[in-house]
Amino acid sequence: MNKFFPANFPNRQYQLLFTQGSGENKEEIINYEFDAKDLVCLGLSSIVGVWYLLRKHWIANNLFGLAFSLNGVELLHLNNVSTGCILLGGLFIYDVFWVFGTNVMVTVAKSFEAPIKLVFPQDLLEKGLEADNFAMLGLGDIVIPGIFIALLLRFDISLKKNTHTYFYTSFAAYIFGLGLTIFIMHIFKHAQPALLYLVPACIGFPVLVALAKGEVTEMFSYESSAEILPHTPRLTHFPTVSGSPASLADSMQQKLAGPRRRRPQNPSAIGRSKKLKVNPPKPNLSSICRCPPLPLGTTRHRKRRATCLRRAYGGAGAKPGRCWAVNASYEESNPKDAAAVTEGSKEGTEASASKGLEKKEK
């Protein structure tokens, strides 16, 4: 709609804020941002809505149906051709059963007054805009094949050949299938399930083209990502609503578009860790672990030292190499400290031996 607004249009920004509670308990319920162009579009749309509510006119019904269909094709996505074939195949059986097996589908379509279908007046030449004899096409017969055709368009773009062969083929197949549906409906004078003719056409024609071009493997191995097609106005001119699907989709697209950050690592630390993991050296018994500053020779000190030894040698119930890796890095950063620890451990051993002799004499 931006193309229809003049350049000097005063486009002011507005915000609708609705909260609940007060103070620290204030909760934001609605936070809707919009501008003057949105208000103009809302006014035009409201005219169509009031027209449909008052008159139930078939033109207003079709305007709503087309809007729903376009939004459905834009918002619903298939990720690969195999999923699309399974979906279309399942709905093919569903549609055939509910149209030919029962009269439920036809009864609901005729009696339910809502813009869930497109209607085409058959007596338009006789009664003009006041026609009342309609042929109907459900929105599902537009949206379901439409998302499959959109998938083939993304596949065309992924090939980077500047051609839309599969898109045009599937689009022509849809027109052919819909024309065949109308022809058979007029011949047999009975309601026809449109997917009975649309599904074979929309799947068969592109597959035949892929066979002719030798791209069947590429077609069925293609995985559609979250990229946005060129000239697609999805979530770009929509007003943002906090907590709405539009704002969440915007934030997700920004996260997907940004590069992933990795934590920087020190090359020397990486090399040292690889050496320790691949070929750990034999631990030095005098400097295996840095125990807390307790009196040397005590029972608690000996137990902790024995635990550290088991961990260094990868004993049962311990994390192998953890203590040795810590002390290896500590000795590299403090080369003089290892000798001091060795001397301290020798003094501790002599002190514990002298205390043991005193106990025996007593």
Side-chain angles (χ1 to χ4, degrees):
M1 292 297 294
N2 287 324
K3 298 179 182 179
F4 299 98
F5 288 98
N8 57 353
F9 182 81
N11 191 24
R12 297 181 180 180
Q13 301 293 325
Y14 302 95
Q15 183 178 13
L16 180 63
L17 182 62
F18 184 69
T19 60
Q20 180 181 5
S22 60
E24 297 180 354
N25 297 327
K26 182 180 289 186
E27 182 181 359
E28 189 177 278
I29 298 178
I30 297 176
N31 187 2
Y32 193 81
E33 297 178 356
F34 54 95
D35 53 23
K37 293 181 180 179
D38 295 321
L39 293 178
V40 174
C41 295
L42 177 63
L44 296 176
S45 303
S46 300
I47 294 173
V48 180
V50 172
W51 181 26
Y52 176 78
L53 290 175
L54 296 179
R55 299 291 302 276
K56 293 291 190 297
H57 199 275
W58 62 271
I59 296 180
N61 177 89
N62 288 353
L63 289 175
F64 274 107
L66 290 173
F68 292 152
S69 300
L70 289 173
N71 279 278
V73 173
E74 183 181 355
L75 296 176
L76 299 177
H77 287 266
L78 293 172
N79 60 342
N80 55 58
V81 176
S82 300
T83 304
C85 292
I86 295 172
L87 175 65
L88 290 176
L91 292 175
F92 171 86
I93 299 173
Y94 170 88
D95 205 19
V96 171
F97 172 77
W98 285 105
V99 173
F100 288 149
T102 66
N103 60 349
V104 173
M105 190 78 75
V106 179
T107 304
V108 171
K110 289 182 177 180
S111 60
F112 194 67
E113 289 293 335
I116 59 171
K117 57 186 180 296
L118 298 183
V119 295
F120 304 95
Q122 296 178 327
D123 52 351
L124 180 63
L125 298 178
E126 300 175 2
K127 299 183 179 180
L129 296 180
E130 299 299 326
D132 53 5
N133 185 21
F134 300 104
M136 295 173 291
L137 178 67
L139 298 188
D141 299 328
I142 302 174
V143 175
I144 301 303
I147 59 178
F148 185 76
I149 296 173
L151 172 66
L152 294 179
L153 174 60
R154 294 196 294 276
F155 173 63
D156 277 324
I157 294 176
S158 69
L159 295 177
K160 298 180 180 179
K161 295 183 178 179
N162 296 326
T163 59
H164 297 161
T165 306
Y166 294 98
F167 169 71
Y168 290 131
T169 302
S170 57
F171 193 80
Y174 182 86
I175 296 174
F176 170 77
L178 194 60
L180 184 61
T181 305
I182 296 173
F183 174 75
I184 295 178
M185 182 180 64
H186 281 285
I187 293 297
F188 292 96
K189 304 298 181 183
H190 188 274
Q192 298 293 319
L195 293 182
L196 174 63
Y197 311 97
L198 292 176
V199 170
C202 291
I203 294 179
F205 281 38
V207 170
L208 291 177
V209 173
L211 285 172
K213 299 179 67 174
E215 295 177 344
V216 178
T217 305
E218 290 83 351
M219 174 186 286
F220 283 90
S221 62
Y222 169 70
E223 290 285 341
S224 176
S225 58
E227 76 273 5
I228 299 179
L229 296 177
H231 312 296
T232 300
R234 185 189 317 141
L235 301 179
T236 55
H237 301 293
F238 283 52
T240 57
V241 183
S242 62
S244 69
S247 61
L248 294 176
D250 278 333
S251 62
M252 289 299 295
Q253 288 174 0
Q254 292 174 3
K255 291 180 181 179
L256 290 173
R260 293 184 178 180
R261 297 182 179 179
R262 299 185 65 180
R263 183 181 297 176
Q265 295 182 354
N266 188 1
S268 61
I270 295 174
R272 184 165 62 249
S273 63
K274 288 182 179 178
K275 290 180 181 179
L276 291 174
K277 287 182 180 179
V278 175
N279 188 18
K282 186 175 180 180
N284 185 2
L285 300 182
S286 61
S287 60
I288 276 294
C289 289
R290 301 297 186 267
C291 296
L294 295 174
L296 295 177
T298 59
T299 304
R300 186 176 182 184
H301 178 83
R302 287 196 297 272
K303 287 183 178 180
R304 290 200 174 188
R305 189 172 184 79
T307 303
C308 285
L309 287 172
R310 286 197 301 272
R311 288 181 178 176
Y313 280 107
K319 295 182 179 179
R322 178 182 177 187
C323 186
W324 170 241
V326 172
N327 285 279
S329 60
Y330 181 82
E331 288 176 3
E332 289 179 7
S333 59
N334 300 277
K336 297 181 181 179
D337 191 56
V341 174
T342 304
E343 294 176 0
S345 62
K346 289 181 180 178
E347 293 176 359
T349 305
E350 294 175 357
S352 60
S354 60
K355 286 183 179 180
L357 293 174
E358 290 178 0
K359 289 182 178 179
K360 288 182 179 180
E361 290 178 355
K362 289 181 180 181

